[in-house]
Amino acid sequence: MKILDGKATATQIREELKVEVKDLVRLNKRVPGLAAVLVGDDGASQTYVNAKVRDCAEIGFNSELIKLDASISEYELLKKVEELNNNPKIDGFIVQLPLPDHIDENKVISAINPTKDVDGFHPENFGRMALDLPTFVSATPQGIVELLRRYQIKTEGMQCVVMGRSNIVGSPVSILMSRNDNPGNATVTLVHSRTKNLKEITRTADILISAIGRPGLVTKDMVKKGAVVIDVGMTRVDDNTKKKGYRLAGDVNFEEVKAVASHITPVPGGVGPMTRASLLLNTMKAYKRKEKKKFMR
Ligand code: NAP
C-alpha cells in the first residue's frame, strides 16, 4: 500500500510557484494577488482562510484578508465583491463559505467576476469545466486530479466510484474523472444518500473517491482489493487528547482500508493540502490570464 501524500505534493507545488514568483520579481514584474473575504467568526472558516493567506505569503503572492462582521447585509457584501472585481491588484478572490443565513450564497458567488473566481464556483466556470473549456476548476476536485496525475495513477478505462454529489466536490470530480483527458477517461458512477446497494457499487471501484462527510463510513468490506482510495472527508470530531479539543476525521476507516487499498490518502495530509495548493495554482492562472491575455486549461 502506498500513501498518496498530499502534504508533500502540495509543498512541491508551492516550491514550483515560488520559483515562478522569484522570476517575476527578478524581471520587476507585478506578482499575483489573492484576496479572501471572511464573513463572521466561524472557527473552521477562520482556520481555512488564515492558512490560504499564509500560503500566499510563503510563495510571495500578495494577499489581502477582508474580515467582515456576521451582521453585514447582503447588499454591503455584494458591494465589497464589486470592489474586488474592479481592483486591478487583485487577480483572484474567494468568498469563504458558508455565509450567514441571511445572505444568499448563490447571489454572492454569481456576483464574482468569473475571470477572478479562483474558487471556480461561479456558474459560468462550472459550465466551462463541464464543457472542457479553459476555466478555474474548483480547488478540491482540481487537487484530487492533480494528486492522481503526479502519482501517475492510471485512470483511463478504470471504474471510478464517487461518493457524494455536492457542487463543490462530488459532482465536479465525477465530471473531471469521466472527461476525455488524463487523468480522466474513467467510467464513473456517482452515489449519494439515496443510492441502494452502496457496498455492491463501491466494491466495483478501481478508484474510490469519498466526499460525504461521515467519519469512518467507508469500511474495508466496501473496498475492492487494490483500489485507489481518495478520502475527501474532513469532519471535526471531539478529541480530548488534542490541544484544540478536536481532530479531523476522514470518511474512510483508514486503519482497516489501508490493508486492502493499493494507494490511499490520509486525513489530514491528503486532499486538504492539495485543495490549498490548487487555489494558488488558480491564482497564478488568473494572473497569467490578465498579464498575458491567455487563458490556459
Ligand atoms: P455535502 O455538500 O454535505 O455533500 C455530501 C454528499 O454526501 C451528499 O451528496 C450526500 O447525499 C452524500 N451522503 C451523505 N451521507 C451519505 C451516505 N450515508 N451514503 C452515501 N452518500 C451520502 O458535503 P461536501 O461539501 O461535498 O463535503 C463532503 C466532505 O468533504 C465533508 O467532510 C467536507 O468537510 C469535506 N471537504 C473537504 C475538503 C478538503 O479540502 N479536504 C474540501 C471540501 C469538502 P445527498 O445529496 O443525497 O444528500
Side-chain angles (χ1 to χ4, degrees), residues 163-164 191-193 198-199 202 208 210-223 231 235 249-254 256-257:
M163 302 175 74
V191 300
H192 45 76
S193 69
L198 190 67
K199 186 161 76 174
T202 59
L208 182 63
S210 181
I212 55 181
R214 303 272 183 278
L217 184 130
V218 180
T219 45
K220 189 176 161 184
D221 56 330
M222 295 169 73
V223 181
D231 189 355
T235 308
D251 291 344
V252 176
N253 183 326
F254 184 84
E256 259 186 56
V257 172

Side-chain angles (χ1 to χ4, degrees), residues 275-293:
T275 297
R276 278 165 53 186
S278 297
L279 181 66
L280 300 173
L281 287 171
N282 273 349
T283 304
M284 181 55 100
K285 199 186 210 181
Y287 169 87
K288 286 180 180 166
R289 179 187 178 156
K290 196 156 158 232
E291 293 294 313
K292 300 187 178 169
K293 314 268 179 280

Side-chain angles (χ1 to χ4, degrees), residues 214-263:
R214 303 272 183 278
L217 184 130
V218 180
T219 45
K220 189 176 161 184
D221 56 330
M222 295 169 73
V223 181
K224 177 163 132 182
K225 191 160 174 40
V228 175
V229 179
I230 307 288
D231 189 355
V232 187
M234 217 168 56
T235 308
R236 284 186 176 194
V237 295
D238 294 341
D239 187 341
N240 293 332
T241 66
K242 303 279 175 205
K243 215 160 67 186
K244 292 178 181 161
Y246 68 84
R247 66 185 162 83
L248 288 179
D251 291 344
V252 176
N253 183 326
F254 184 84
E255 286 308 315
E256 259 186 56
V257 172
K258 74 176 188 195
V260 284
S262 65
H263 298 76

Side-chain angles (χ1 to χ4, degrees), residues 11-74:
T11 303
Q12 174 68 36
I13 292 171
R14 286 199 304 277
E15 290 303 321
E16 291 164 9
L17 286 169
K18 253 189 224 174
V19 172
E20 283 197 63
V21 174
K22 272 194 188 138
D23 280 348
L24 292 172
V25 172
R26 195 169 42 79
L27 297 168
N28 269 330
K29 296 243 173 84
R30 186 177 74 80
V31 296
L34 173 77
V37 179
L38 176 66
V39 182
D41 48 17
D42 175 73
S45 292
Q46 273 179 9
T47 307
Y48 298 148
V49 168
N50 288 337
K52 290 168 187 174
V53 170
R54 236 184 7 251
D55 286 345
C56 284
E58 186 200 321
I59 64 168
F61 282 7
N62 279 327
S63 64
E64 196 180 325
L65 173 56
I66 300 151
K67 286 187 176 176
L68 302 169
D69 198 84
S71 64
I72 189 170
S73 68
E74 186 179 277

